[in-house]
Amino acid sequence: MGGKGIPNYQRVADDLRARILNGELGPGDKLPTEKELQQQWGYSTTIIKYALALLRSEGLIEGRRGSGNYVRTRPRLTRRAHSRDMRKAMGSTSPFARDSQTAGKKPSWESHSEKIPATPHIAERLGINPGDMVMYTRYRFFADETPIQLSHSYEPLAITGGTPVEYPERGPIVGVVARMDFIGVTIDRFVEEIITRPAMPDEVDALGLDRRGGMWIIAIKRTYYAGETAVETADIVAAGDRYRLVYEVPIDPWSPSNEGERADRAG
């Protein structure tokens, strides 16, 4: 059955994965039973179980007790980085709320804020001194009651302390950009570092991931700036199969001056 040197469980998983990705098996469809897969491939129960565990770890299928394995039906939220923080957008000033509503989902979230001294790591990201006070807020975001994203946010109290937006979720407006605008701090850019990694045990619990497979998550380290001043930094975790990140990056229009700059760099 092809693929010299390929483990047998990988052959089974590769075949099922291809059928899922090409749409032959769609969201909510039931996979062949373990017995049917054994008969099809001629492999042991252990091999078939390994193959299915691999697909669960990739977030492609889910097991239902007493019923079998099914292709996962996943909420599809798209985060469009070029427009998610528009200042005068219609509707919510919360980027997550806009993403959810665009996908036809009902957004909601839990949050808790407290004032804490900045750790050396967070202080370095914010350009402040270790021990300076920051507002720490942890979030869990839901779309149609499905947990989608976690976030740990840190804001220097030297910027927001004593203002109406000191507590991110208690003031007259939500969303980092809109809140900073409200107090006259104009955010002009944000920087993101994105990796994928296995979910930690607490993340598995908070996001309701399948414990039978080592689920992978998208981890985003994001910092907002007003000029050279960092006004918020956050660690964001999203279930890898529940969020799609789309970036639109503008390219400076051509002009004789920047053509000269390109020539200088090329030289």
Side-chain angles (χ1 to χ4, degrees):
M1 294 188 176
K4 183 179 179 180
I6 298 176
N8 290 336
Y9 77 90
Q10 186 72 61
R11 296 176 184 174
V12 178
D14 288 349
D15 178 71
L16 290 171
R17 186 189 301 105
R19 294 170 65 187
I20 292 169
L21 296 179
N22 69 20
E24 180 183 342
L25 289 169
D29 286 351
K30 186 175 182 180
L31 270 65
T33 66
E34 291 184 11
K35 184 176 181 179
E36 289 169 341
L37 290 170
Q38 282 182 266
Q39 293 173 343
Q40 175 186 344
W41 290 90
Y43 296 149
S44 69
T45 300
T46 300
I47 295 298
I48 299 302
K49 287 183 180 296
Y50 276 148
L52 295 173
L54 177 59
L55 296 178
R56 282 195 294 269
S57 75
E58 296 173 354
L60 292 175
I61 67 172
E62 61 184 358
R64 300 179 187 173
R65 188 179 299 276
S67 180
N69 292 286
Y70 293 79
V71 180
R72 294 193 67 185
T73 301
R74 297 167 289 182
R76 297 199 178 264
L77 269 65
T78 299
R79 198 202 71 170
R80 298 189 178 276
H82 70 287
S83 63
R84 64 193 297 264
D85 288 317
M86 289 191 306
R87 292 183 159 91
K88 296 182 180 179
M90 296 297 291
S92 177
T93 54
S94 162
F96 180 83
R98 288 202 303 271
D99 293 345
S100 299
Q101 291 161 355
T102 298
K105 309 292 182 180
K106 181 181 178 180
S108 61
W109 55 87
E110 304 167 345
S111 68
H112 174 77
S113 296
E114 58 183 303
K115 299 176 182 180
I116 65 171
T119 64
H121 175 63
I122 294 301
E124 181 180 3
R125 287 168 58 174
L126 290 171
I128 61 178
N129 295 317
D132 285 355
M133 297 303 292
V134 297
M135 182 66 73
Y136 162 59
T137 306
R138 62 179 182 267
Y139 294 91
R140 184 161 67 142
F141 295 89
F142 302 81
D144 283 354
E145 300 184 358
T146 298
I148 299 291
Q149 177 179 292
L150 311 174
S151 178
H152 296 265
S153 166
Y154 307 85
E155 297 178 351
L157 283 169
I159 295 174
T160 58
T163 73
V165 299
E166 179 179 48
Y167 284 86
E169 298 298 320
R170 299 183 193 173
I173 194 166
V174 296
V176 177
V177 171
R179 288 174 50 246
M180 295 299 166
D181 280 347
F182 191 83
I183 60 172
V185 177
T186 303
I187 291 175
D188 53 25
R189 64 190 171 98
F190 64 90
V191 177
E192 292 188 337
E193 176 185 329
I194 302 171
I195 63 170
T196 58
R197 60 170 174 78
M200 301 296 287
D202 59 330
E203 295 165 343
V204 171
D205 291 339
L207 290 170
L209 304 180
D210 190 339
R211 281 192 170 276
R212 290 175 296 177
M215 288 292 296
W216 285 69
I217 52 88
I218 302 169
I220 303 171
K221 182 189 294 184
R222 182 197 61 202
T223 303
Y224 282 102
Y225 292 89
E228 297 303 313
T229 301
V231 300
E232 189 246 29
T233 194
D235 293 303
I236 302 165
V237 168
D241 61 339
R242 301 176 192 173
Y243 228 134
R244 184 165 64 108
L245 308 182
V246 177
Y247 290 85
E248 181 176 309
V249 180
I251 296 175
D252 292 339
W254 180 89
S255 71
S257 61
N258 59 32
E259 181 64 24
E261 291 174 4
R262 293 190 191 99
D264 290 342
R265 289 196 294 270

